[in-house]
Amino acid sequence: MSESKNQKKKEKKEKKDYQIVKINGVKQKKLKRKPYEKELVRLQEELVKLQEWIKHEGLKVVVIFEGRDAAGKGGVIKRITESLNPRICRVEALGTPTEREKTQWYFQRYVNRLPAAGEMVLFDRSWYNRAGVEKVMGFCSDEEHREFLRSCPEFERMLVRSGIILVKYWFSVSDEEQEKRFQSRIEDPTKRWKLSPMDLESRKRWMEYSKAKDEMFAHTDIKQAPWYVVDADIKRHARLNCIRHLLGQIPYQDLTPEPIELPPRQDDMAYVRPPISDQTFVTDYYGGSIESTE
């Protein structure tokens, strides 16, 4: 096939799979829903293979998700976990530390959530709270912040030396796109819970968060555990790009079990079922049997 025919074929496919949208005043290609969902299913099947490999090899995997509020971290985590076994892959989203935890070594409560062999833990926010929200909102002292920047790289090198595979993602979203998502949450009653007072405060302190993030990167973007930045202005792209990248960080083999043949059911001739009237059923509001009119 000639080069011109290849080019035309490529353009035709792009026209079919993508739409042109304007984001922050710039025209960009956005993957349409159908090809997005098709690729997501393919990647989720690969995640299942990765899960089986982690279990088989006894790997210990930690994935950190950090970034701006409304950058889409939760959406990516949801797409990663929805097809996986929660006994192997679990999410940790720690709340505000208790009074007792505040007196502990800063990393102590996170260490307790680290994986055992054959597990993958996804941190929806992590120990980097100290470099972000705690720093900007004044929840830690300047000395505590400086100590975090000194000790965090050594802490992560120690994790890596112990055999933990550590992958860190920063989700980057423009202020225009973040504003749009905040407004969407305000308008949708099912999403308002996502807007905390801290989110609203972060909106006012955009530049302070930017400076804190830059300082955090300068100290913690280390060779043993680098930061990977995900452009999150287009959610679909962010999800696919992040999952695809994660799959590339851990070499794995396909251990998908062979198709299972179901054994025959036990003969129930000797079983007498109790009367249905003896059981309490949930009211069927959305269906029910249809009486025959014959």
Side-chain angles (χ1 to χ4, degrees):
M1 189 180 290
S2 67
E3 188 175 333
S4 61
K5 285 185 178 180
N6 279 330
Q7 183 63 27
K8 286 181 180 179
K9 188 176 180 181
K10 182 180 178 182
E11 290 174 356
K12 185 177 180 181
K13 179 172 174 52
E14 285 197 351
K15 189 174 181 180
K16 177 184 175 184
D17 292 348
Y18 290 87
Q19 60 187 15
I20 304 300
V21 296
K22 203 174 246 189
I23 298 178
N24 304 327
V26 179
K27 287 184 178 180
Q28 296 190 44
K29 293 189 305 180
K30 180 180 178 180
L31 198 59
K32 293 180 181 178
R33 177 165 295 278
K34 191 172 180 179
Y36 156 73
E37 291 178 345
K38 181 180 179 181
E39 178 65 3
L40 179 61
V41 169
R42 186 188 73 81
L43 292 175
Q44 287 176 330
E45 289 174 355
E46 292 300 314
L47 283 170
V48 173
K49 297 176 187 178
L50 174 61
Q51 167 190 263
E52 294 304 310
W53 183 253
I54 289 172
K55 179 182 177 182
H56 181 267
E57 293 294 301
L59 301 180
K60 295 175 286 185
V61 181
V62 171
V63 187
I64 287 176
F65 295 85
E66 294 284 350
R68 297 280 190 179
D69 296 311
K73 301 179 296 297
V76 175
I77 292 171
K78 180 180 178 181
R79 271 69 184 183
I80 291 174
T81 58
E82 62 185 358
S83 298
L84 300 183
N85 184 344
R87 292 186 178 87
I88 298 174
C89 177
R90 73 176 189 273
V91 178
E92 293 289 354
L94 278 65
T96 305
T98 64
E99 290 302 314
R100 180 174 181 274
E101 287 173 333
K102 289 177 182 178
T103 68
Q104 296 175 341
W105 176 49
Y106 177 71
F107 296 98
Q108 191 166 334
R109 67 183 189 133
Y110 295 101
V111 170
N112 194 41
R113 270 79 172 184
L114 293 174
E119 294 179 350
M120 177 165 68
V121 176
L122 312 181
F123 278 96
D124 185 357
R125 300 232 182 255
S126 65
W127 45 83
Y128 282 101
N129 277 338
R130 175 139 294 179
V133 63
E134 290 190 18
K135 160 68 174 172
V136 174
M137 300 302 298
F139 295 154
C140 68
S141 67
D142 289 342
E143 176 54 35
E144 286 173 328
H145 177 248
R146 285 193 295 269
E147 177 55 32
F148 172 82
L149 295 179
R150 282 195 297 265
S151 59
C152 183
E154 292 307 315
F155 172 67
E156 291 182 351
R157 289 187 182 103
M158 186 165 54
L159 295 182
V160 173
R161 286 198 304 271
S162 75
I164 288 176
I165 298 171
L166 178 59
V167 186
K168 303 186 303 192
Y169 291 112
W170 176 269
F171 284 74
S172 177
V173 64
S174 64
D175 51 353
E176 295 90 346
E177 184 62 25
Q178 185 189 52
E179 174 72 13
K180 189 195 306 182
R181 294 177 188 178
F182 276 179
Q183 292 298 333
S184 172
R185 291 179 178 184
I186 291 171
E187 294 167 5
D188 187 345
T190 66
K191 293 182 179 179
R192 282 180 198 154
W193 64 269
K194 294 183 177 182
L195 270 181
S196 68
M198 207 63 63
D199 295 332
L200 299 177
E201 189 64 29
S202 72
R203 178 176 177 268
K204 296 193 299 185
R205 305 193 184 202
W206 179 274
M207 291 307 299
E208 291 179 58
Y209 271 95
S210 295
K211 292 176 182 177
K213 174 255 182 181
D214 292 341
E215 187 176 10
M216 179 188 79
F217 266 47
H219 286 81
T220 63
D221 188 18
I222 58 177
K223 179 181 178 182
Q224 296 84 352
W227 279 105
Y228 297 105
V229 179
V230 180
D231 183 346
D233 271 356
I234 301 178
K235 289 182 180 180
R236 294 175 190 173
H237 297 186
R239 292 165 185 169
L240 298 181
N241 288 331
C242 184
I243 296 174
R244 183 168 181 150
H245 183 273
L246 177 60
L247 289 167
Q249 298 309 296
I250 308 169
Y252 63 95
Q253 296 178 19
D254 185 359
L255 299 179
T256 304
E258 293 296 322
I260 299 172
E261 184 176 337
L262 293 176
R265 288 182 57 178
Q266 186 179 18
D267 186 359
D268 61 357
M269 292 296 292
Y271 172 64
V272 179
R273 187 181 297 274
I276 291 180
S277 58
D278 290 351
Q279 303 174 41
T280 304
F281 284 85
V282 172
T283 304
D284 187 0
Y285 287 104
Y286 305 102
S289 60
I290 300 175
E291 294 183 5
S292 175
T293 57
E294 295 180 1

